[in-house]
Amino acid sequence: DVHILPIGYIENKVADAFRHAQNQGDPPDIILNSGDSIMDSLETNRENAEKQWDAFNKVVQAECKLPIYHAIGNHDVWGWGLRNSSAAILSDPMYGKNLAIQRLGLPNRYYSFNRSGWHFVILDSTHLPNEASQHPYIGKLDDEQYHWLEKDIEQVDSQTPICLVSHIPILCACEFFDGENEASGNWVVPAAWMHIDARRFRSLFLKHPNIRLCLSGHTHQYESLDYLGVRYLTDEAICGNWWRGAYMDFAPAYVLVDLYDDGSAESQFVAYAA
């Protein structure tokens, strides 16, 4: 969650984060960007969204020396939050996720690759709600993507560990505390905060025990949760509280993840601006 804006000090902070990560004593091999690269394009015009993407790509091209793999975040989707969108916006070929796909240079809104004995799957977790919602999106996979995921996983050797990357967490606990979610007398976590189809994933993961790690962003918090042999890791935010210090007691940070041949993983919270 970089949430960049075309503002000098913010661009410099993002550059600092890239430099800090790549100057580790044991530097990372790749960078996984779990989405929300720009501050917001849900509720802005295309010109403003393009300026944010210009800022992001400028910093990445100047500072990122490693292979970088991107996921699409909810704030990377253009126009879904605009009220009374004009026909011109709705018919614009860049409307929705196409602008993010273009500016991030993605092969598709979801894809997979192999690296160092692991299979990585980058998911598109932001989708329109089925009915009226306080958010213009919810976390889930569309059927087309889910069926692709099933086939993709089936083609992976059962001894090869798999890591899924989604912007919105498939499963997490920290979102229970992000607001007064118990005020009604029951815990209520919006589908915009955590995958509403998590039960579907649970069943899929039980069939494929080589799925060992799920990485996500979105929460601006750091959490590691182990459940039925899968580690669910939310990876904090480069921007912290949208460039206003810490969010939910978590400073602006990134997370280093070490992956091992046996499918295990270790993570480290790194407050790069400390």
Side-chain angles (χ1 to χ4, degrees), residues 74-190:
N74 54 292
H75 287 283
D76 300 328
V77 180
W78 176 50
W80 280 8
L82 292 173
R83 296 183 179 180
N84 303 316
S85 297
S86 68
I89 291 176
L90 295 174
S91 62
D92 190 307
M94 293 294 104
Y95 179 73
K97 298 168 186 174
N98 289 334
L99 182 58
I101 291 171
Q102 181 197 70
R103 299 307 299 268
L104 291 170
L106 301 182
N108 190 18
R109 59 189 176 90
Y110 52 86
Y111 58 99
S112 64
F113 63 95
N114 297 308
R115 178 111 187 177
S116 301
W118 278 67
H119 184 70
F120 294 85
V121 184
I122 311 295
L123 298 173
D124 168 24
S125 59
T126 302
H127 293 275
L128 291 166
N130 295 327
E131 54 189 48
S133 169
Q134 69 183 80
H135 299 279
Y137 62 87
I138 60 174
K140 70 171 189 176
L141 298 190
D142 54 288
D143 287 340
E144 172 194 312
Q145 182 179 187
Y146 183 80
H147 295 318
W148 169 87
L149 176 62
E150 287 183 308
K151 292 179 181 179
D152 185 80
I153 289 171
E154 288 171 358
Q155 295 170 3
V156 178
D157 187 280
S158 62
Q159 299 305 306
T160 299
I162 297 174
C163 170
L164 305 187
V165 181
S166 62
H167 176 65
I168 298 173
I170 293 170
L171 182 68
C172 67
C174 59
E175 289 290 50
F176 282 90
F177 299 108
D178 197 350
E180 296 182 356
N181 297 319
E182 73 278 24
S184 68
N186 288 296
W187 285 109
V188 179
V189 175

